[in-house]
Amino acid sequence: MRTFLSLEYAHDTALPADHDDEFRTPHALVERFLREYSEPGDRVLDPFAGFGTTLAVAERLDREGYGIEYDADRVEHARDAAGDAEVVHHGSVLDLDDTWVPACDVCFTSPPFMERTDTRNPFENYAGESTYDEYLEDIERAFSRVESVLAPGARVVLDVSNMKYEERVTTLAWDVADRVSNVLHYDGEVVVGWDAGTDRDHGDGTFGYGYDHSYCLTFTNATG
Ligand SMILES: C[S@@+](CC[C@H](N)C(=O)[O-])C[C@H]1O[C@@H](n2cnc3c(N)ncnc32)[C@H](O)[C@@H]1O
C-alpha cells in the first residue's frame, strides 16, 4: 500500500443530533484498510467502537464486526450501526478478555486522543484525572488486551494524529506508535491527507487536532 493517501473527510451517514460535533472516523478510511487487510468472512475488531463506523463498514463488506465501547450512549449507536446488539460489548478495553469477543483477524480503531497538558482521563471519557504519561501507559495496556484476542498474524491499524494546541505540539501519533510497539510488531505508517472544505474543517484546511493530515499506524500480531 502507498504510504500517502488523500481522502475526502466525509461520512456516509449523519451523526445523531445530540452528538453532531463529535469525532468519527470517515467510512472511506476504514474501507480502504479493511479491503487491504481482510477477506469476506473475517472477524474485525474495533476496541474503541464509538458510533460504530468500523462495524458498519465491516458489515457492508461481508466481514463480521465486533466492538467494545465505554460510553453507554455510544454503545447504543454502535449497536444500531452494526445491526446486531450482540456484537458490541459495553465496557473498558482495559478489562477486555476473550469471553467478550471471538478471536479476530484484523483490528481497525481510533483511540481517544489526549493533549499532553490536559489532566482529564480519555480512558474514562475525559471524566477522572490522568497525566499524559499515565495515558500512554493505558494505551500500552489496552493494546496488550487487544493482542490477547487477535489471531496470529492479525493486522492492526490505528487511526491517530499529532495535536497542535496553543503553538505547542503533542507528538501523540509517535508516542502511541512507540508504546504499542511494545506489544505488537510495528510495520509502519500511512499518512492520510484530508481534503478540506467539510464540516470539520476550521476554514484553513485543518481539523480539531490542528492538522490537515493524520496517520494510520500499522502493526502485526507476531505472537501465536
Ligand atoms: C476516537 S473515538 C472512536 C470513534 C470511532 N472510530 C467512530 O467512528 O465513531 C474513541 C472512542 O473510544 C471510547 N473509549 C474511551 N475510553 C474507552 C475505554 N476505556 N474502553 C473502550 N472504549 C473507550 C470513547 O467513548 C470513544 O467513543
Side-chain angles (χ1 to χ4, degrees), residues 24-25 47-48 50-51 53 69-70 74 92-93 110 122-123 125:
R24 190 170 47 143
T25 308
F48 300 100
F51 296 97
T53 311
E69 173 54 47
Y70 182 86
R74 286 184 204 171
S92 170
V93 65
S110 182
F123 277 81
N125 249 345

Side-chain angles (χ1 to χ4, degrees), residues 1 5 25 29-38 44-48 54 105-111 143 146 150 154-160 176 180 184-190 192 215-221:
M1 179 182 277
L5 298 178
T25 308
L29 184 65
V30 182
E31 179 166 345
R32 187 88 175 214
F33 282 92
L34 290 193
R35 284 192 185 281
E36 180 80 16
Y37 292 140
S38 69
V44 177
L45 175 67
D46 187 344
F48 300 100
T54 304
D105 305 297
V106 66
C107 168
F108 183 101
T109 196
S110 182
F143 284 92
V146 167
L150 291 179
R155 305 299 291 266
V156 176
V157 182
L158 277 187
D159 169 31
V160 65
V176 167
V180 178
L184 295 164
H185 177 270
Y186 183 52
D187 298 320
E189 71 276 353
V190 176
V192 186
Y215 302 93
C216 280
L217 310 172
T218 62
F219 301 84
T220 301
N221 177 25

